[in-house]
Protein backbone atom coordinates (compact mmCIF):
# COMPACT_ATOMS: atom_id res chain seq x y z
CA UNK A 1 0.00 0.00 0.00
CA UNK A 2 1.32 3.44 -0.87
CA UNK A 3 0.12 6.89 0.16
CA UNK A 4 0.80 9.72 -2.32
CA UNK A 5 0.16 13.06 -0.67
CA UNK A 6 2.06 15.70 -2.69
CA UNK A 7 -1.21 17.22 -3.92
CA UNK A 8 -2.09 18.28 -0.38
CA UNK A 9 0.45 21.11 -0.73
CA UNK A 10 0.00 24.46 -2.42
CA UNK A 11 3.24 24.12 -4.41
CA UNK A 12 1.66 21.10 -6.20
CA UNK A 13 -1.73 22.78 -6.54
CA UNK A 14 -2.40 26.31 -7.80
CA UNK A 15 0.08 28.04 -5.49
CA UNK A 16 -2.76 29.59 -3.50
CA UNK A 17 -4.68 26.77 -1.88
CA UNK A 18 -3.47 23.78 0.08
CA UNK A 19 -1.04 23.27 2.93
CA UNK A 20 2.33 25.02 3.03
CA UNK A 21 5.45 22.87 3.33
CA UNK A 22 6.24 24.66 6.59
CA UNK A 23 2.99 23.30 7.98
CA UNK A 24 4.20 19.78 7.24
CA UNK A 25 7.28 20.53 9.35
CA UNK A 26 5.02 21.67 12.13
CA UNK A 27 3.09 18.37 11.95
CA UNK A 28 6.37 16.42 11.93
CA UNK A 29 7.47 18.22 15.13
CA UNK A 30 4.16 17.54 16.84
CA UNK A 31 3.82 13.89 15.92
CA UNK A 32 6.02 12.31 18.63
CA UNK A 33 3.64 13.81 21.21
CA UNK A 34 0.68 12.30 19.34
CA UNK A 35 2.30 8.85 19.38
CA UNK A 36 3.18 9.29 23.05
CA UNK A 37 -0.45 10.10 23.89
CA UNK A 38 -1.64 7.01 22.01
CA UNK A 39 0.93 4.92 23.92
CA UNK A 40 -0.22 6.29 27.27
CA UNK A 41 -3.83 5.68 26.42
CA UNK A 42 -3.04 2.16 25.21
CA UNK A 43 -1.49 1.42 28.58
CA UNK A 44 -4.73 2.61 30.19
CA UNK A 45 -6.70 0.11 28.11
CA UNK A 46 -7.90 2.39 25.30
CA UNK A 47 -6.98 1.69 21.65
CA UNK A 48 -7.79 -2.02 22.13
CA UNK A 49 -7.77 -2.60 18.35
CA UNK A 50 -3.93 -2.38 18.42
CA UNK A 51 -4.06 -5.95 19.79
CA UNK A 52 -5.75 -7.32 16.66
CA UNK A 53 -2.52 -8.07 14.81
CA UNK A 54 -1.84 -10.90 17.20
CA UNK A 55 -4.80 -13.30 17.08
CA UNK A 56 -3.34 -16.70 16.24
CA UNK A 57 -5.65 -18.60 18.61
CA UNK A 58 -8.76 -16.68 17.60
CA UNK A 59 -8.07 -17.26 13.90
CA UNK A 60 -7.45 -20.98 14.44
CA UNK A 61 -10.62 -21.29 16.55
CA UNK A 62 -12.74 -19.50 13.95
CA UNK A 63 -11.35 -21.56 11.09
CA UNK A 64 -12.17 -24.76 12.96
CA UNK A 65 -15.67 -23.52 13.79
CA UNK A 66 -16.24 -22.40 10.18
CA UNK A 67 -15.00 -25.71 8.76
CA UNK A 68 -17.52 -27.58 10.92
CA UNK A 69 -20.39 -25.29 10.01
CA UNK A 70 -19.46 -24.91 6.35
CA UNK A 71 -20.41 -28.49 5.38
CA UNK A 72 -23.92 -28.33 6.76
CA UNK A 73 -25.28 -25.04 5.40
CA UNK A 74 -25.42 -23.29 2.08
CA UNK A 75 -26.50 -19.81 3.21
CA UNK A 76 -25.12 -17.54 5.93
CA UNK A 77 -27.52 -14.92 7.27
CA UNK A 78 -25.83 -12.12 9.23
CA UNK A 79 -27.94 -9.91 11.51
CA UNK A 80 -26.32 -6.73 12.82
CA UNK A 81 -26.12 -2.98 12.31
CA UNK A 82 -23.47 -0.23 12.14
CA UNK A 83 -20.09 -1.56 13.22
CA UNK A 84 -21.60 -5.04 13.42
CA UNK A 85 -22.47 -5.13 9.71
CA UNK A 86 -20.51 -2.63 7.60
CA UNK A 87 -17.15 -4.35 8.03
CA UNK A 88 -18.45 -7.68 6.79
CA UNK A 89 -20.13 -5.97 3.84
CA UNK A 90 -16.73 -4.48 3.01
CA UNK A 91 -15.00 -7.87 3.15
CA UNK A 92 -17.68 -9.53 1.04
CA UNK A 93 -17.59 -7.02 -1.80
CA UNK A 94 -13.83 -6.51 -1.76
CA UNK A 95 -12.76 -10.13 -1.49
CA UNK A 96 -15.42 -12.27 -3.14
CA UNK A 97 -16.42 -12.10 -6.79
CA UNK A 98 -19.27 -9.71 -7.64
CA UNK A 99 -22.83 -11.04 -7.36
CA UNK A 100 -21.57 -13.83 -5.10
CA UNK A 101 -25.06 -15.14 -4.34
CA UNK A 102 -25.88 -15.51 -8.02
CA UNK A 103 -22.87 -17.74 -8.75
CA UNK A 104 -23.22 -21.51 -9.06
CA UNK A 105 -22.04 -23.76 -6.23
CA UNK A 106 -19.02 -24.66 -8.32
CA UNK A 107 -18.09 -21.03 -8.98
CA UNK A 108 -18.40 -20.34 -5.24
CA UNK A 109 -16.20 -23.40 -4.59
CA UNK A 110 -19.11 -24.70 -2.51
CA UNK A 111 -18.82 -21.89 0.01
CA UNK A 112 -22.25 -20.65 1.15
CA UNK A 113 -24.17 -17.68 -0.14
CA UNK A 114 -24.48 -14.80 2.31
CA UNK A 115 -27.09 -12.18 3.20
CA UNK A 116 -26.30 -9.32 5.56
CA UNK A 117 -29.41 -7.75 7.07
CA UNK A 118 -28.43 -4.40 8.55
CA UNK A 119 -31.74 -2.63 8.84
CA UNK A 120 -35.23 -3.09 10.20
CA UNK A 121 -36.88 -2.36 6.89
CA UNK A 122 -39.67 -4.96 6.78
CA UNK A 123 -39.45 -5.26 2.99
CA UNK A 124 -35.76 -6.28 3.11
CA UNK A 125 -36.35 -8.76 5.92
CA UNK A 126 -39.40 -10.37 4.30
CA UNK A 127 -37.58 -10.50 0.96
CA UNK A 128 -34.52 -12.18 2.45
CA UNK A 129 -36.52 -14.76 4.38
CA UNK A 130 -38.57 -15.63 1.32
CA UNK A 131 -35.37 -16.39 -0.63
CA UNK A 132 -33.57 -18.44 2.03
CA UNK A 133 -34.28 -22.08 2.91
CA UNK A 134 -34.41 -22.26 6.74
CA UNK A 135 -33.18 -25.87 6.65
CA UNK A 136 -29.93 -24.80 5.01
CA UNK A 137 -29.19 -21.49 6.73
CA UNK A 138 -26.66 -20.57 9.38
CA UNK A 139 -27.60 -17.39 11.24
CA UNK A 140 -24.92 -15.24 12.84
CA UNK A 141 -26.41 -12.61 15.15
CA UNK A 142 -23.82 -9.91 15.82
CA UNK A 143 -24.16 -7.29 18.53
CA UNK A 144 -21.37 -6.22 20.81
CA UNK A 145 -23.77 -4.86 23.43
CA UNK A 146 -26.25 -7.62 22.74
CA UNK A 147 -29.08 -5.18 23.26
CA UNK A 148 -29.42 -3.05 20.12
CA UNK A 149 -33.13 -2.74 19.24
CA UNK A 150 -32.72 -3.36 15.49
CA UNK A 151 -30.67 -6.52 15.93
CA UNK A 152 -32.86 -7.82 18.76
CA UNK A 153 -35.99 -7.35 16.61
CA UNK A 154 -34.34 -9.01 13.60
CA UNK A 155 -33.31 -11.93 15.80
CA UNK A 156 -36.83 -12.43 17.18
CA UNK A 157 -38.32 -12.47 13.68
CA UNK A 158 -35.67 -14.82 12.31
CA UNK A 159 -35.83 -17.05 15.38
CA UNK A 160 -39.61 -17.46 15.05
CA UNK A 161 -39.11 -18.29 11.34
CA UNK A 162 -36.49 -20.92 12.22
CA UNK A 163 -38.54 -22.37 15.10
CA UNK A 164 -41.56 -22.70 12.87
CA UNK A 165 -39.65 -24.45 10.11
CA UNK A 166 -37.38 -26.65 12.21
CA UNK A 167 -38.64 -26.73 15.79
CA UNK A 168 -36.90 -24.85 18.62
CA UNK A 169 -34.33 -27.56 19.42
CA UNK A 170 -33.05 -27.87 15.87
CA UNK A 171 -33.17 -24.08 15.41
CA UNK A 172 -30.47 -23.69 18.06
CA UNK A 173 -27.99 -25.58 15.87
CA UNK A 174 -28.49 -22.99 13.11
CA UNK A 175 -27.45 -20.09 15.29
CA UNK A 176 -24.30 -18.41 16.59
CA UNK A 177 -24.12 -15.15 18.49
CA UNK A 178 -21.11 -12.82 18.35
CA UNK A 179 -21.24 -10.61 21.40
CA UNK A 180 -19.55 -9.41 24.59
CA UNK A 181 -17.87 -12.33 26.37
CA UNK A 182 -19.55 -11.72 29.71
CA UNK A 183 -22.54 -9.43 29.55
CA UNK A 184 -25.64 -8.42 27.61
CA UNK A 185 -28.90 -10.14 26.64
CA UNK A 186 -27.42 -12.18 23.76
CA UNK A 187 -24.76 -13.63 26.04
CA UNK A 188 -27.47 -14.56 28.57
CA UNK A 189 -29.63 -16.15 25.88
CA UNK A 190 -26.69 -18.12 24.52
CA UNK A 191 -25.94 -19.57 27.95
CA UNK A 192 -29.60 -20.34 28.68
CA UNK A 193 -30.38 -21.99 25.33
CA UNK A 194 -27.03 -23.57 24.50
CA UNK A 195 -26.47 -21.37 21.43
CA UNK A 196 -22.87 -21.13 20.17
CA UNK A 197 -21.34 -17.75 21.07
CA UNK A 198 -18.17 -16.01 19.94
CA UNK A 199 -16.53 -13.14 21.78
CA UNK A 200 -16.18 -9.53 20.71
CA UNK A 201 -13.13 -8.35 22.68
CA UNK A 202 -14.51 -5.86 25.26
CA UNK A 203 -11.65 -3.45 24.55
CA UNK A 204 -12.55 -3.15 20.82
CA UNK A 205 -15.42 -0.82 19.85
CA UNK A 206 -18.08 -1.76 17.29
CA UNK A 207 -16.75 0.26 14.35
CA UNK A 208 -13.20 -1.02 15.01
CA UNK A 209 -14.32 -4.67 15.21
CA UNK A 210 -14.29 -6.02 11.65
CA UNK A 211 -11.00 -7.83 12.32
CA UNK A 212 -12.45 -9.60 15.40
CA UNK A 213 -14.91 -12.52 15.24
CA UNK A 214 -17.49 -9.89 14.15
CA UNK A 215 -16.04 -9.97 10.62
CA UNK A 216 -13.75 -12.96 10.83
CA UNK A 217 -16.43 -15.63 11.35
CA UNK A 218 -18.69 -14.70 8.42
CA UNK A 219 -15.59 -14.04 6.31
CA UNK A 220 -14.18 -17.49 7.06
CA UNK A 221 -17.57 -19.08 6.35
CA UNK A 222 -17.53 -17.73 2.78
CA UNK A 223 -13.93 -18.71 2.17
CA UNK A 224 -12.02 -15.48 2.79
CA UNK A 225 -8.45 -16.05 3.98
CA UNK A 226 -8.70 -14.56 7.47
CA UNK A 227 -5.10 -15.36 8.32
CA UNK A 228 -3.92 -13.10 5.51
CA UNK A 229 -6.35 -10.40 6.55
CA UNK A 230 -4.69 -10.32 9.95
CA UNK A 231 -1.20 -10.43 8.40
CA UNK A 232 -2.08 -7.34 6.37
CA UNK A 233 -3.39 -5.62 9.49
CA UNK A 234 -0.15 -6.44 11.29
CA UNK A 235 1.86 -4.67 8.59
CA UNK A 236 -0.15 -1.47 9.10
CA UNK A 237 0.21 -1.81 12.88
CA UNK A 238 4.00 -2.19 12.63
CA UNK A 239 4.31 0.95 10.49
CA UNK A 240 2.10 2.89 12.91
CA UNK A 241 4.66 2.55 15.72
CA UNK A 242 7.18 4.86 13.95
CA UNK A 243 7.52 8.30 15.55
CA UNK A 244 8.87 9.74 12.28
CA UNK A 245 5.69 11.11 10.67
CA UNK A 246 6.89 10.74 7.10
CA UNK A 247 7.48 7.03 7.71
CA UNK A 248 4.17 6.46 9.45
CA UNK A 249 1.49 6.34 6.73
CA UNK A 250 -1.56 6.23 9.03
CA UNK A 251 -0.11 8.98 11.22
CA UNK A 252 0.69 11.11 8.19
CA UNK A 253 -2.75 10.63 6.65
CA UNK A 254 -4.48 11.59 9.92
CA UNK A 255 -2.21 14.62 10.31
CA UNK A 256 -2.87 15.91 6.79
CA UNK A 257 -6.64 15.53 7.01
CA UNK A 258 -6.73 17.15 10.44
CA UNK A 259 -4.49 20.05 9.31
CA UNK A 260 -6.62 20.58 6.19
CA UNK A 261 -9.69 20.85 8.44
CA UNK A 262 -8.22 22.77 11.40
CA UNK A 263 -5.97 25.16 9.47
CA UNK A 264 -7.71 25.52 6.10
CA UNK A 265 -11.35 24.80 6.89
CA UNK A 266 -11.47 21.72 4.64
CA UNK A 267 -13.80 19.78 6.86
CA UNK A 268 -15.38 17.57 4.22
CA UNK A 269 -13.36 14.43 3.68
CA UNK A 270 -14.31 12.52 0.54
CA UNK A 271 -13.21 8.91 0.13
CA UNK A 272 -13.34 7.93 -3.52
CA UNK A 273 -12.15 4.45 -4.43
CA UNK A 274 -11.84 3.72 -8.13
CA UNK A 275 -13.32 0.26 -7.73
CA UNK A 276 -16.87 -1.00 -7.35
CA UNK A 277 -15.45 -3.60 -5.02
CA UNK A 278 -14.48 -0.85 -2.56
CA UNK A 279 -17.85 0.91 -2.55
CA UNK A 280 -18.75 -0.73 0.77
CA UNK A 281 -15.31 0.11 2.12
CA UNK A 282 -16.15 3.79 1.57
CA UNK A 283 -19.40 3.33 3.52
CA UNK A 284 -17.47 1.59 6.32
CA UNK A 285 -14.96 4.48 6.40
CA UNK A 286 -17.79 7.00 6.64
CA UNK A 287 -19.05 5.37 9.83
CA UNK A 288 -15.55 5.05 11.28
CA UNK A 289 -14.57 8.67 10.63
CA UNK A 290 -17.97 10.22 11.48
CA UNK A 291 -18.82 8.31 14.64
CA UNK A 292 -15.29 8.47 16.02
CA UNK A 293 -14.54 12.15 15.41
CA UNK A 294 -17.90 13.91 15.47
CA UNK A 295 -18.04 14.99 19.11
CA UNK A 296 -19.58 17.85 21.07
CA UNK A 297 -16.89 17.78 23.79
CA UNK A 298 -13.16 17.40 23.84
CA UNK A 299 -11.20 15.07 26.12
CA UNK A 300 -11.46 17.60 28.97
CA UNK A 301 -15.23 17.87 28.62
CA UNK A 302 -15.10 21.33 27.00
CA UNK A 303 -17.67 21.92 24.23
CA UNK A 304 -16.07 21.88 20.77
CA UNK A 305 -18.73 20.56 18.37
CA UNK A 306 -15.95 19.22 16.15
CA UNK A 307 -15.59 16.62 13.51
CA UNK A 308 -15.00 16.32 9.77
CA UNK A 309 -17.86 15.20 7.52
CA UNK A 310 -16.91 12.10 5.52
CA UNK A 311 -18.48 11.68 2.09
CA UNK A 312 -18.39 8.45 0.06
CA UNK A 313 -17.93 8.48 -3.71
CA UNK A 314 -16.93 5.91 -6.31
CA UNK A 315 -14.83 6.51 -9.39
CA UNK A 316 -15.29 6.69 -12.25
CA UNK A 317 -19.09 6.80 -11.73
CA UNK A 318 -19.13 9.86 -9.46
CA UNK A 319 -17.02 11.86 -11.91
CA UNK A 320 -20.39 12.32 -13.57
CA UNK A 321 -22.25 13.19 -10.36
CA UNK A 322 -20.29 14.81 -7.51
CA UNK A 323 -16.91 15.72 -9.04
CA UNK A 324 -18.14 19.00 -10.53
CA UNK A 325 -18.75 20.18 -6.94
CA UNK A 326 -15.35 18.90 -5.81
CA UNK A 327 -13.66 20.78 -8.67
CA UNK A 328 -15.42 24.11 -8.50
CA UNK A 329 -17.42 24.31 -5.27
CA UNK A 330 -16.21 25.69 -1.95
CA UNK A 331 -12.62 24.99 -0.87
CA UNK A 332 -13.84 22.86 2.02
CA UNK A 333 -12.88 19.36 0.89
CA UNK A 334 -10.06 16.88 0.70
CA UNK A 335 -10.54 14.00 -1.72
CA UNK A 336 -8.76 10.72 -1.00
CA UNK A 337 -8.63 8.32 -3.92
CA UNK A 338 -8.05 4.60 -3.54
CA UNK A 339 -6.77 2.86 -6.64
CA UNK A 340 -5.95 -0.78 -7.34
CA UNK A 341 -2.98 -1.34 -9.64
CA UNK A 342 -3.65 -4.90 -10.75
CA UNK A 343 -7.19 -5.34 -12.02
CA UNK A 344 -9.00 -7.89 -14.22
CA UNK A 345 -7.98 -7.65 -17.86
CA UNK A 346 -10.76 -6.76 -20.26
CA UNK A 347 -9.33 -5.60 -23.57
CA UNK A 348 -11.32 -2.99 -25.42
CA UNK A 349 -11.81 -4.48 -28.90
CA UNK A 350 -11.91 -2.68 -32.18
CA UNK A 351 -14.61 -3.25 -34.78
CA UNK A 352 -15.27 -2.43 -38.39
CA UNK A 353 -16.59 1.05 -39.02
CA UNK A 354 -15.32 2.40 -35.69
CA UNK A 355 -16.07 6.14 -35.46
CA UNK A 356 -12.88 8.24 -35.30
CA UNK A 357 -14.03 9.52 -31.92
CA UNK A 358 -13.73 6.00 -30.45
CA UNK A 359 -10.44 5.09 -32.14
CA UNK A 360 -8.31 5.92 -29.07
CA UNK A 361 -9.98 3.15 -27.00
CA UNK A 362 -9.15 -0.19 -28.69
CA UNK A 363 -5.78 -1.53 -27.62
CA UNK A 364 -6.33 -0.34 -24.05
CA UNK A 365 -8.02 -2.29 -21.28
CA UNK A 366 -11.01 -1.26 -19.17
CA UNK A 367 -8.73 -1.26 -16.11
CA UNK A 368 -6.35 1.16 -17.85
CA UNK A 369 -9.25 3.48 -18.55
CA UNK A 370 -10.38 3.30 -14.89
CA UNK A 371 -6.94 4.12 -13.52
CA UNK A 372 -6.28 6.78 -16.16
CA UNK A 373 -9.52 8.45 -15.05
CA UNK A 374 -8.33 8.41 -11.45
CA UNK A 375 -5.03 10.07 -12.42
CA UNK A 376 -6.82 12.59 -14.60
CA UNK A 377 -9.29 13.49 -11.83
CA UNK A 378 -6.49 13.88 -9.29
CA UNK A 379 -4.53 16.11 -11.69
CA UNK A 380 -7.61 18.15 -12.60
CA UNK A 381 -8.43 18.72 -8.92
CA UNK A 382 -4.84 19.86 -8.35
CA UNK A 383 -5.06 22.27 -11.25
CA UNK A 384 -8.18 23.73 -9.63
CA UNK A 385 -6.34 24.12 -6.31
CA UNK A 386 -8.11 21.21 -4.60
CA UNK A 387 -6.27 19.09 -2.07
CA UNK A 388 -6.20 15.37 -2.77
CA UNK A 389 -4.26 12.25 -1.83
CA UNK A 390 -4.09 8.77 -3.31
CA UNK A 391 -3.82 5.39 -1.63
CA UNK A 392 -2.58 2.74 -4.10
CA UNK A 393 -3.08 -0.95 -3.48
CA UNK A 394 -1.08 -3.41 -5.57
CA UNK A 395 -4.16 -5.66 -5.87
CA UNK A 396 -7.32 -6.47 -3.96
CA UNK A 397 -6.54 -9.49 -1.83
CA UNK A 398 -6.97 -10.41 1.82
CA UNK A 399 -3.54 -9.04 2.77
CA UNK A 400 -4.03 -5.62 1.17
CA UNK A 401 -7.61 -5.28 2.43
CA UNK A 402 -6.54 -6.18 5.99
CA UNK A 403 -3.80 -3.56 5.71
CA UNK A 404 -6.17 -0.92 4.31
CA UNK A 405 -8.76 -1.52 7.03
CA UNK A 406 -6.19 -1.33 9.81
CA UNK A 407 -4.58 1.73 8.18
CA UNK A 408 -7.90 3.59 8.42
CA UNK A 409 -8.51 2.42 11.99
CA UNK A 410 -5.04 3.63 12.99
CA UNK A 411 -5.56 6.95 11.19
CA UNK A 412 -8.84 7.35 13.09
CA UNK A 413 -7.10 6.61 16.39
CA UNK A 414 -4.42 9.25 15.63
CA UNK A 415 -7.07 11.70 14.45
CA UNK A 416 -8.71 11.37 17.87
CA UNK A 417 -5.55 12.89 19.34
CA UNK A 418 -5.21 15.63 16.70
CA UNK A 419 -8.86 16.63 17.21
CA UNK A 420 -8.58 16.21 20.99
CA UNK A 421 -11.62 13.91 21.20
CA UNK A 422 -12.30 10.39 22.40
CA UNK A 423 -12.62 8.41 19.15
CA UNK A 424 -14.04 5.37 20.93
CA UNK A 425 -17.28 6.61 22.44
CA UNK A 426 -20.54 7.51 20.71
CA UNK A 427 -22.80 9.31 23.18
CA UNK A 428 -24.96 10.65 20.35
CA UNK A 429 -25.68 7.12 19.09
CA UNK A 430 -26.42 5.96 22.64
CA UNK A 431 -28.93 8.78 23.10
CA UNK A 432 -30.76 7.67 19.96
CA UNK A 433 -30.76 4.09 21.25
CA UNK A 434 -32.26 5.17 24.59
CA UNK A 435 -34.96 7.27 22.94
CA UNK A 436 -35.82 4.31 20.70
CA UNK A 437 -36.26 2.17 23.81
CA UNK A 438 -38.51 4.89 25.27
CA UNK A 439 -40.53 5.14 22.05
CA UNK A 440 -41.02 1.37 22.01
CA UNK A 441 -42.12 1.28 25.67
CA UNK A 442 -39.09 -0.52 27.13
CA UNK A 443 -39.44 -0.49 30.94
CA UNK A 444 -36.98 1.83 32.67
CA UNK A 445 -36.69 4.29 29.76
CA UNK A 446 -39.79 6.46 30.25
CA UNK A 447 -37.64 9.06 32.03
CA UNK A 448 -35.93 9.75 28.69
CA UNK A 449 -39.04 11.85 27.92
CA UNK A 450 -41.36 12.03 24.95
CA UNK A 451 -40.07 11.48 21.43
CA UNK A 452 -43.28 12.55 19.74
CA UNK A 453 -42.91 15.38 17.23
CA UNK A 454 -44.83 18.51 18.19
CA UNK A 455 -46.96 19.00 15.09
CA UNK A 456 -48.94 21.99 16.31
CA UNK A 457 -48.78 24.96 13.95
CA UNK A 458 -48.04 28.54 15.00
CA UNK A 459 -51.38 30.29 15.50
CA UNK A 460 -50.96 32.57 12.45
CA UNK A 461 -50.64 29.48 10.21
CA UNK A 462 -53.22 27.29 11.93
CA UNK A 463 -56.20 28.80 10.13
CA UNK A 464 -54.52 29.03 6.70
O1 LIG B 1 -19.45 1.63 16.37
C1 LIG B 1 -20.35 1.46 17.15
O2 LIG B 1 -20.16 1.33 18.36
C2 LIG B 1 -21.80 1.36 16.68
O3 LIG B 1 -21.94 1.69 15.34
C3 LIG B 1 -22.30 -0.07 16.87
O4 LIG B 1 -21.54 -0.95 16.09
C4 LIG B 1 -23.78 -0.19 16.52
O5 LIG B 1 -24.54 0.76 17.22
C5 LIG B 1 -24.29 -1.59 16.85
O6 LIG B 1 -24.06 -1.89 18.19
P1 LIG B 1 -24.04 -3.36 18.73
O7 LIG B 1 -22.94 -4.11 18.07
O8 LIG B 1 -23.85 -3.23 20.20
O9 LIG B 1 -25.39 -3.96 18.40
Amino acid sequence: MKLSYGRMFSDKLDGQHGLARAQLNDLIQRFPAVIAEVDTRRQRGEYGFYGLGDQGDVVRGIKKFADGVGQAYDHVLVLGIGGSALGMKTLLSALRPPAWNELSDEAREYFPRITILENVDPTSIAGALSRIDPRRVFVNVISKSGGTAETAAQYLVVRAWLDQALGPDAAVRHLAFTTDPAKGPLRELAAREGIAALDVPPEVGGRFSVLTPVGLLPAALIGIDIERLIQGARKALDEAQRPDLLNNPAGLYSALLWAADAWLGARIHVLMPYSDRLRDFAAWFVQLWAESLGKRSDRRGQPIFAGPTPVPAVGATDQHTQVQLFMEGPFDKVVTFVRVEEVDEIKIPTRPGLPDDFAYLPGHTIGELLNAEQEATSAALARMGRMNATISLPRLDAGSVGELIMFMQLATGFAGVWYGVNPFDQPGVELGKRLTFAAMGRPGYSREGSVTLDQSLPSDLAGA
Side-chain angles (χ1 to χ4, degrees):
M1 204 188 103
K2 191 174 140 226
L3 173 68
S4 308
Y5 56 95
R7 289 177 173 156
M8 293 296 294
F9 296 99
S10 57
D11 57 8
K12 295 281 165 121
L13 302 176
D14 59 355
Q16 285 180 51
H17 298 95
L19 293 163
R21 292 284 168 179
Q23 289 176 311
L24 179 60
N25 288 336
D26 193 354
L27 294 169
I28 291 170
Q29 304 302 321
R30 292 184 192 206
F31 190 57
V34 173
I35 286 246
E37 178 169 338
V38 170
D39 283 349
T40 310
R41 293 191 180 281
R42 280 177 64 191
Q43 280 156 28
R44 288 193 210 139
E46 294 183 42
Y47 286 76
F49 71 90
Y50 271 68
L52 298 178
D54 187 17
Q55 294 192 86
D57 290 349
V58 173
V59 166
R60 272 187 292 280
I62 287 179
K63 280 170 87 170
K64 204 165 152 214
F65 186 92
D67 283 349
V69 166
Q71 310 301 317
Y73 304 97
D74 56 24
H75 205 116
V76 175
L77 175 60
V78 173
L79 311 181
I81 196 164
S84 291
L86 285 165
M88 185 52 215
K89 287 184 71 180
T90 300
L91 298 180
L92 169 64
S93 45
L95 295 172
R96 298 280 71 182
W100 175 251
N101 286 354
E102 288 164 33
L103 300 180
S104 67
D105 289 346
E106 215 175 354
R108 295 191 329 274
E109 295 171 15
Y110 299 90
F111 287 111
R113 296 187 165 86
I114 186 164
T115 299
I116 302 166
L117 279 181
E118 53 165 346
N119 201 355
V120 280
D121 185 323
T123 315
S124 318
I125 296 177
L129 298 189
S130 71
R131 288 191 304 271
I132 299 171
D133 179 352
R135 292 166 304 174
R136 303 283 301 154
V137 74
F138 184 75
V139 182
N140 186 195
V141 187
I142 308 178
S143 173
K144 182 175 180 197
S145 63
T148 301
E150 293 90 339
T151 310
Q154 286 174 336
Y155 167 66
L156 293 174
V157 170
V158 169
R159 182 65 200 266
W161 169 77
L162 284 177
D163 283 1
Q164 195 184 18
L166 314 169
D169 292 342
V172 163
R173 291 195 294 277
H174 290 246
L175 283 160
F177 295 164
T178 307
T179 192
D180 185 275
K183 52 184 203 287
L186 280 185
R187 180 57 61 177
E188 271 175 41
L189 265 180
R192 190 176 339 132
E193 294 199 38
I195 296 170
L198 289 91
D199 297 347
V200 186
E203 68 281 8
V204 180
R207 55 193 172 276
F208 292 84
S209 69
V210 51
L211 300 176
T212 74
V214 167
L216 296 181
L217 174 62
L221 286 170
I222 60 167
I224 290 172
D225 185 342
I226 60 173
E227 217 161 329
R228 294 210 42 223
L229 266 179
I230 299 298
Q231 271 169 20
R234 203 177 307 133
K235 181 164 180 283
L237 279 160
D238 289 346
E239 290 175 354
Q241 314 292 329
R242 304 173 186 155
D244 168 14
L245 185 64
L246 296 183
N247 277 314
N248 186 322
L252 181 57
Y253 183 64
S254 70
L256 294 171
L257 288 196
W258 170 77
D261 177 351
W263 294 340
L264 305 179
R267 53 184 56 97
I268 296 179
H269 294 170
V270 179
L271 186 70
M272 188 166 181
Y274 269 65
S275 165
D276 283 341
R277 297 174 69 187
L278 292 174
R279 193 183 288 270
D280 290 318
F281 168 70
W284 170 85
F285 165 79
V286 164
Q287 186 212 8
L288 184 70
W289 206 241
E291 210 168 293
S292 303
L293 303 176
K295 299 289 153 74
R296 66 183 289 179
S297 314
D298 67 13
R299 283 279 194 181
R300 290 159 302 149
Q302 297 302 311
I304 48 166
F305 301 99
T309 299
V311 170
V314 172
T317 311
D318 281 317
Q319 281 179 222
H320 302 268
T321 63
Q322 303 191 71
V323 164
Q324 170 62 30
L325 174 71
F326 304 163
M327 293 277 180
E328 296 191 358
F331 287 88
D332 58 0
K333 299 174 195 68
V334 178
V335 179
T336 303
F337 299 105
V338 184
R339 57 182 273 146
V340 183
E341 299 303 341
E342 215 178 282
V343 289
D344 291 343
E345 284 266 300
I346 299 183
K347 287 212 165 80
I348 304 176
T350 189
R351 56 181 292 112
L354 193 72
D356 284 350
D357 285 346
F358 292 175
Y360 67 97
L361 289 169
H364 292 291
T365 66
I366 292 283
E368 274 170 14
L369 175 62
L370 184 68
N371 280 343
E373 295 212 43
Q374 185 275 319
E375 275 163 33
T377 307
S378 167
L381 282 170
R383 198 172 291 181
M384 301 296 282
R386 313 298 167 139
M387 289 179 281
N388 66 92
T390 301
I391 296 169
S392 310
L393 303 179
R395 67 195 69 79
L396 266 189
D397 61 13
S400 63
V401 169
E403 184 183 354
L404 180 66
I405 283 173
M406 185 53 83
F407 165 85
M408 284 300 187
Q409 294 190 170
L410 290 158
T412 307
F414 287 129
V417 180
W418 292 110
Y419 278 93
V421 299
N422 178 358
F424 305 115
D425 66 0
Q426 53 286 319
V429 178
E430 307 301 340
L431 175 63
K433 287 187 179 185
R434 291 201 306 279
L435 292 191
T436 301
F437 293 150
M440 294 295 284
R442 181 172 171 179
Y445 286 85
S446 56
R447 66 176 182 283
E448 296 291 346
S450 166
V451 293
T452 316
L453 182 67
D454 178 1
Q455 290 181 327
S456 58
L457 291 172
S459 56
D460 54 337
L461 286 180

